């Protein structure tokens, strides 16, 4: 009979140190990009969880600046892909070229070989090029001429798309949407933040931000999150929510097993960012929209952000919330 050894619970002191690191990273990002602190916390959560983010917003909302700031505070390298209909997969992943001098083939890496990769207007490139992102997002490597090339760690793809201008676009299929841990929207800045900018207040250039954590330290945050406690009642809550989406007559497809696992994994990071060594039902409710809404497929067709978010809100309202049990 096999046995498993439970990991030791995360001490309060370690959780508070992790939360302080998240807070310093968030402060740096918000110095360069005036956006909602809750959204910044979600993006940092996705990064620490090893996931990818799809930003749906109008042009000029600061999506690229935010991604540059994220790379700066984590001491990472940034890559950028501007998607167009004629973009080739090799433009994203890289290509093997014959070197006349050495008489050997050499691999020239593409822009995905970075820690934070911005993929602008991902729905404006062909499905063939979109699929080139699939392996690197899922496997952390690309294969060229039969040889695997791992990308740097940590690794985050921040893909953007305009939810209004859909002419001449190639909507992402459900299988590729499922590769994104979260779908978020920055929205307009708060009234005070926008007024401050109108008065002439300047933002810090992302390149001027000092690194808060380097890659290895980000990896340690992920390891610490594995010791964050998830009570059985919270696991059961996630299961009931997922099952409710699968039975919803308005949905053609509910939350997958991958989606359920992603929510539980992300909730651990989210709790850690708050200085806690345990997950609460409120963590689950806060993450349900960004982690699950884009994975739902309504009967009407493609998963629109407004429609699926509204359906998910209804599910959250219907399923009873377990009593909070703290870290015990």
């Amino acid at each position: 009979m096999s046995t498993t050894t439970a990991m030791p619970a995360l001490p309060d002191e370690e959780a508070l140190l992790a939360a302080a690191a998240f807070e310093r990273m968030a402060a740096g990002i918000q110095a360069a990009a005036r956006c909602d602190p809750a959204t910044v916390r979600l993006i940092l959560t996705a990064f620490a969880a090893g996931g990818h983010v799809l930003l749906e917003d109008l042009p000029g909302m600061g999506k690229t600046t935010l991604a540059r700031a994220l790379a700066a505070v984590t001491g990472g390298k940034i890559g950028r892909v501007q998607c167009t209909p004629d973009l080739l997969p090799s433009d994203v992943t890289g290509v093997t070229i014959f070197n006349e001098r050495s008489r050997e083939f050499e691999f020239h890496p593409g822009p995905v070989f970075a820690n934070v990769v911005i993929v602008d207007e991902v729905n404006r490139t062909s499905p063939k090029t979109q699929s080139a992102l699939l392996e690197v997002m899922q496997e952390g490597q690309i294969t060229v001429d039969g040889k695997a090339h791992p990308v740097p760690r940590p690794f985050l793809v921040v893909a953007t798309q305009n939810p209004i201008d859909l002419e001449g676009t190639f909507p992402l299929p459900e299988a590729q949407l499922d590769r994104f841990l979260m779908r978020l929207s920055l929205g307009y800045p708060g009234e005070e933040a926008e007024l401050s900018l109108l008065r002439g207040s300047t933002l810090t250039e992302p390149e001027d931000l000092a690194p808060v954590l380097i890659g290895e330290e980000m990896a340690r945050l992920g390891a610490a999150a594995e010791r964050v406690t998830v009570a059985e009642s919270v696991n059961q809550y996630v299961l009931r929510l997922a099952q409710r989406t699968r039975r919803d007559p308005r949905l053609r497809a509910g939350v997958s097993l991958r989606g359920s696992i992603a929510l539980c994994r992300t909730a651990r990071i989210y709790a850690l960012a708050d200085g806690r060594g345990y997950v609460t039902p409120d963590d689950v409710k806060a993450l349900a929209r960004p982690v699950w809404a884009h994975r739902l497929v309504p009967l009407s067709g493609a998963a629109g952000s407004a429609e699926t978010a509204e359906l998910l809100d209804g599910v959250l309202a219907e399923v009873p919330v377990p009593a909070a049990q703290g870290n015990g």
Side-chain angles (χ1 to χ4, degrees):
M1 182 175 65
S2 62
T3 59
T4 57
T5 303
M7 297 183 69
L10 187 72
D12 292 341
E13 297 79 8
E14 193 171 344
L16 291 173
L17 286 173
F22 273 101
E23 185 62 33
R24 293 197 304 274
M25 287 189 290
I29 291 172
Q30 288 180 274
R34 295 283 173 88
C35 50
D36 181 27
T39 304
V40 173
R41 179 181 173 187
L42 287 170
I43 290 177
L44 285 170
T45 297
F47 193 23
H52 307 289
V53 175
L54 177 63
L55 290 179
E56 283 191 342
D57 245 320
L58 299 173
M61 292 298 184
K63 300 183 292 292
T64 301
T65 301
L66 185 146
R68 289 166 54 208
L70 175 62
V73 299
T74 55
K77 178 184 176 183
I78 192 164
R80 185 170 182 179
V81 179
Q82 180 62 56
C83 292
T84 57
D86 59 349
L87 189 73
L88 298 175
S90 58
D91 296 329
V92 175
T93 60
V95 64
T96 299
I97 298 177
F98 185 71
N99 187 320
E100 290 284 354
R101 180 176 297 178
S102 64
R103 309 301 296 174
E104 293 180 347
F105 285 96
E106 297 178 350
F107 176 66
H108 291 246
V112 294
F113 285 84
N115 299 109
V116 179
V117 181
I118 307 168
V119 183
D120 275 323
E121 297 187 281
V122 66
N123 56 338
R124 291 203 175 277
T125 194
S126 68
K128 184 175 183 179
T129 303
Q130 289 175 0
S131 66
L133 288 168
L134 199 61
E135 180 192 6
V136 69
M137 290 172 63
Q138 182 66 20
E139 306 295 338
Q141 66 177 27
I142 63 103
T143 303
V144 176
D145 296 331
K147 185 177 180 180
H149 301 272
V151 295
R153 295 290 185 177
F155 177 69
L156 171 71
V157 170
V158 180
T160 73
Q161 58 182 14
N162 185 338
I164 304 300
D165 184 9
L166 300 177
E167 184 176 353
T169 61
F170 304 88
L172 296 174
E174 285 82 2
Q176 194 158 334
L177 279 173
D178 197 47
R179 295 303 192 274
F180 289 98
L181 179 61
M182 296 185 190
R183 180 175 63 184
L184 300 170
S185 173
L186 299 184
Y188 294 103
E191 185 175 312
E192 286 299 321
E194 186 167 3
L195 189 58
S196 175
L197 293 172
L198 293 176
R199 288 169 175 161
S201 175
T202 58
L203 297 174
T204 303
E205 286 295 322
E207 290 72 21
D208 294 334
L209 295 174
V212 174
L213 296 180
I214 59 174
E216 292 79 2
E217 292 170 319
M218 285 295 290
R220 283 200 291 271
L221 281 181
E226 292 297 319
R227 295 154 59 200
V228 171
T229 303
V230 183
E232 183 59 22
S233 61
V234 176
N235 283 325
Q236 291 285 347
Y237 180 48
V238 173
L239 177 62
R240 289 196 301 271
L241 289 170
Q243 290 178 333
R244 176 64 184 81
T245 67
R246 296 163 191 166
R247 296 193 303 266
D248 196 307
R250 298 166 295 177
L251 294 173
R252 182 157 51 92
V255 173
S256 65
L257 174 60
R258 193 207 309 266
S260 297
I261 294 172
L263 182 56
C264 287
R265 183 181 79 248
T266 309
R268 286 188 167 96
I269 298 283
Y270 195 75
L272 187 66
D274 197 40
R276 287 180 281 107
Y278 58 91
V279 173
T280 69
D282 284 341
D283 295 329
V284 173
K285 293 175 71 174
L287 291 167
R289 259 196 181 208
V291 176
W292 276 4
H294 62 289
R295 303 172 193 266
L296 303 178
V297 183
L299 290 175
S300 59
S305 56
E307 182 178 0
T308 53
E310 184 178 342
L311 289 172
L312 191 52
D313 285 345
V315 170
L316 289 168
E318 293 169 8
V319 177
V321 180
Q325 296 183 5
N327 57 0

